[in-house]
Structures are given as structure tokens and as C-alpha cells.
């Protein structure tokens, strides 16, 4: 597969952009080789600047659940831009989007729009701290919540791939308010609440992880988290930036029926445009300015084009049978991968929730926490990744990530992907 044009663009990019990319995981450091520069995408397919065509399992890291350039999303977004791409004043579109989210998730009584997932989690934590007048936050190893200082501690995928347990530039004074616990370990959580419960402003968690690969904890674990927060007056934040409107119409909290105080959204809610949001019960959310004293603002927040893309995306996802059809496709992909893995000389584990899936190369046992993800054979994943790329399948370039399937990955595409995986596994060392 010829990638000369990508290589040429990379060498130009390296001279003017740190590492040649605007977000680290795009650089292919975990798998090696030249990152593909993308020219365009449509439906389930991407084309790189050398003209190669790929089935896309990255989906912009989650937002493109309808597939690329879905016509009605393109139309709604373009029409919004024609009326001007920003006003810095309220619009009807924002109200319609917030109403739609609150209809689908009645526990979200108020929603504030921001510009990214990072801003959503950062703001949710400010509200948790402001509401409780406490500083300490609990997060879990391998969960990524964006790049805010105090959240960049043992933060999964990008950071794990780069082996930066902490980033330089994060003051120890900020990180010291973050308590990091192993994911999926109820006893560790109970122990911290027993010793420091009254200091804990909030707990932030990916209810189903994506940023260390897909791990779905038992319901009892999230339920216990809910109880401990209630008993200690701490705010429970579900970071559903990745899982939101992807794993279930009511997000992971709808799937589990465990309801947080605040939810952070991103990715799907922006329909591929830069947008995030956070929301929850009126009691906490009305502490946010100008309703309350906790300051949070944004020049481009509620951007009309982003709102139009997000609204149209969520609206289409609300059609009956949408998630069921996606589930069926994804189950076929999972079953296919399990089978070809079984038929190969290799062992591994496929973990999936809805349209998020990870293939871990390990001895086949369940992967339940970050230590176990780290212990997987990431060199083998890198080889597998390149084998798949050769066959026109574009996977996330790291074994710490989820693959994302869209509504337009049809049965043929899934079958071809499984066949490509079969051939690739047979050629692996
Ligand atoms: C992607 C992601 C973020 C960060 O969102 P950005 O839009 O990249 O800032 C936060 N939390 C989770 C769970 C994510 O997957």
C-alpha cells in the first residue's frame, strides 16, 4: 500500500506542528509506521491522501456513529453555517438540543454546552467541588477524562501509550487532590471512602471504559459507587463522553440503570463537530453561572453549526430500531472475531458493549482493569494493526483503544473485516 503522500505531509507537519499531529494518538507511535493523512470520508469508508480506501473503525474516535458525511447531518450543519457560524448569543438550536437530551434522559434536568469532552469533565469537576466545598476527586487507573491538569493522572490510552503516568506541566499541588484507584475494585473504593469520605468532592468514572479498551464492570460496582457517594455527600460524575448515546439510547447509565449526579458528554453529542456538554439534576446544575456562583463560560459554546450537527445526529438515533440494528451488526463482528481468533494459533479476548469493541491479545481471560490491559501483547496488536491496514481496514492505532462501529457498517463490511482478521491472524508470528 503506497503512503508516499502521507509520508510527505508528515515531514512537512513535523516542521510546524509538535510531533506532526494535533492529538498524540494520531501519530501511530504505539504501532509504528506513517500516520495516514485523510482526504475525505463517506459512510463507513475513509480515503487517504494517496487514494487508498479503508473501512473506518475509528469513526473520529466515537462521534461518527451514523457514518461519515451523513446527508441530513451535512445539510443541517451547512444550513446553520450559511446563517453564520457563530453569534455569541443564545439560539433556538441550543434549546432544542437541550430539550432533546433532557427528554431522553430525565435525570439530566439542565444541560450546559461546551466545546469538547475535556471542557465537559473539567467543568463537571468544578461543579462537584463547588457544590461540596471539598477538593479531593477520585478517578480510576486507565480512565481518561480529557487533558485537564488534575485528571491527567494514570489516564489510559494516549497517556499509557506514551508511558507518561504524569505529564510534565501538571503541578504536584493540583495532582495531589486526585486520588487514583484501580478500576473495578470495590474494596479499594470502600477503603478510601472509609478513611477520607468527608474530603471527597466527587468520583469521576467511565462507566464502561473505552480509553483502556472496552471494560464493562459489573452493575454492583457502579451501584456501590452510587451508594458511597450518597452516604458521603460526594458527587458522582459519569464521564459518558465516549459511551454517551453510543452504547444505549440512555447512555451507559441507561444500560446499567445507575444514575449519576452529573454526566459529561462529548463525541456523539456533537455529531462530529467540536462540542461537549455536562448536565444533571437542577439542584447541582443551577449552581453554574449565571444561575449560581460557579463560573464557567465559552465564546463558541453552543456553536450553531455544532448544535445543528449534534441535534440531527441524536434525532436520527432516536428512530425506532436504530440501536437494535447496530447491536446485531456488532454482535456479528464480535462472533466473527472470536471464531477466527479461536481458529488461529493466537489467543485473545474480544470485549464489546454495543458498538464499542476491543480485541485484547492475552491468554483469553477477561480483562478487568488497567494492569491487565497493560499486560496484553501490544507488539502483537501492532502487527495485527498493520496487517489489517494492508487489507484496507483502519483500526485505532493502539491496543489500548476501542474500535467504533457505525450504523452504515453493513453485513458485507463486517464479513470482509472478519475475513481480513482471519488472514491477518494466520500471517502473524
Ligand atoms: C474523548 C474523551 C474525553 C475528552 O474529550 P475531548 O473532546 O477529546 O476533549 C473525555 N472523556 C472520555 C471518556 C473520552 O473518551
Amino acid at each position: 500500500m503506497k503512503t508516499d503522500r502521507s509520508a510527505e505531509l508528515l515531514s512537512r507537519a513535523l516542521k510546524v506542528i509538535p510531533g506532526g499531529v494535533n492529538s498524540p494518538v494520531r501519530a501511530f507511535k504505539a504501532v509504528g509506521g506513517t500516520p495516514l493523512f485523510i482526504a475525505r470520508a463517506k459512510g463507513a469508508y475513509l480515503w487517504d491522501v494517496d487514494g487508498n480506501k479503508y473501512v473506518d473503525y475509528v469513526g473520529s474516535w466515537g462521534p461518527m456513529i451514523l457514518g461519515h458525511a451523513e446527508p441530513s447531518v451535512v445539510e443541517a450543519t451547512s444550513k446553520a453555517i450559511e446563517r453564520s457560524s457563530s453569534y455569541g448569543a443564545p439560539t433556538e438550536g441550543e434549546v432544542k438540543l437541550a430539550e432533546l437530551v433532557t427528554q431522553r434522559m430525565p435525570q439530566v434536568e439542565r444541560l450546559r454546552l461546551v466545546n469538547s469532552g475535556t471542557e465537559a469533565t473539567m467543568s463537571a469537576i468544578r461543579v462537584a467541588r463547588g457544590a461540596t466545598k471539598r477538593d479531593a476527586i477520585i478517578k480510576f487507573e486507565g480512565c481518561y477524562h480529557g487533558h485537564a491538569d488534575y485528571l491527567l493522572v494514570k489516564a489510559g490510552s494516549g497517556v499509557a501509550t506514551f508511558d507518561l503516568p504524569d505529564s510534565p506541566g501538571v503541578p504536584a499541588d493540583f495532582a495531589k487532590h486526585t486520588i487514583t484507584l484501580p478500576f473495578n475494585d470495590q474494596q479499594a473504593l470502600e477503603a478510601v471512602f472509609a478513611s477520607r469520605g468527608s474530603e471527597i468532592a466527587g468520583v469521576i468514572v467511565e462507566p464502561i471504559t473505552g480509553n483502556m479498551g472496552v471494560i464493562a464492570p459489573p452493575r454492583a460496582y457502579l451501584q456501590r459507587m452510587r451508594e458511597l457517594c450518597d452516604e458521603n455527600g460526594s458527587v458522582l460524575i459519569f464521564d459518558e463522553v465516549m459511551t454517551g448515546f453510543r452504547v444505549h439510547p440512555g447512555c451507559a447509565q441507561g444500560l446499567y440503570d445507575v444514575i449519576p449526579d452529573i454526566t459529561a458528554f462529548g463525541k456523539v453529542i456533537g455529531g462530529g463537530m467540536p462540542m461537549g456538554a455536562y448536565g444533571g439534576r437542577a439542584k447541582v446544575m443551577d449552581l453554574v453561572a449565571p444561575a449560581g456562583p460557579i463560573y464557567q463560560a465559552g465564546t463558541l459554546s453552543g456553536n450553531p453549526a455544532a448544535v445543528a450537527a449534534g441535534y440531527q445526529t441524536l434525532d436520527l438515533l432516536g428512530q425506532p430500531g436504530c440501536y437494535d440494528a447496530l447491536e446485531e451488526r456488532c454482535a456479528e463482528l464480535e462472533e466473527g472475531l472470536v471464531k477466527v481468533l479461536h481458529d488461529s494459533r493466537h489467543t485473545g479476548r474480544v470485549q464489546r458493549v454495543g458498538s464499542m469493541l476491543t480485541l485484547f491479545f492475552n491468554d483469553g481471560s477477561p480483562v478487568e482493569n488497567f494492569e491487565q490491559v497493560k499486560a496484553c501483547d501490544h507488539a502483537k496488536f501492532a502487527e495485527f494493526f498493520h496487517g489489517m491496514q494492508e487489507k484496507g481496514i483502519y483500526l485505532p492505532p493502539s491496543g489500548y483503544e476501542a474500535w467504533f462501529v457505525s450504523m452504515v457498517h453493513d453485513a458485507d463490511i463486517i464479513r470482509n473485516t472478519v475475513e481480513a482478521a482471519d488472514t491477518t491472524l494466520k500471517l502473524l508470528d
Side-chain angles (χ1 to χ4, degrees), residues 25-81:
V25 71
R26 298 179 195 171
F28 278 27
K29 293 276 191 230
V31 292
T34 306
L36 303 177
F37 281 65
I38 304 303
R40 67 193 168 92
K42 179 75 190 159
Y45 297 101
L46 286 176
W47 284 264
D48 69 14
V49 288
D50 288 282
N52 303 306
K53 178 182 178 185
Y54 305 89
V55 177
D56 181 21
Y57 284 99
V58 177
S60 186
W61 301 93
M64 311 315 289
I65 190 166
L66 300 175
H68 289 279
E70 198 289 323
S72 71
V73 175
V74 172
E75 192 193 327
T77 313
S78 320
K79 280 198 168 147
I81 292 181

Side-chain angles (χ1 to χ4, degrees), residues 116-119 121 144-147 206 211 239 241-242 267:
S116 66
T118 294
E119 269 189 66
T121 58
Y144 175 69
H145 304 295
H147 61 82
E206 287 181 73
N211 287 291
D239 178 352
V241 170
M242 193 182 279
K267 301 191 170 121

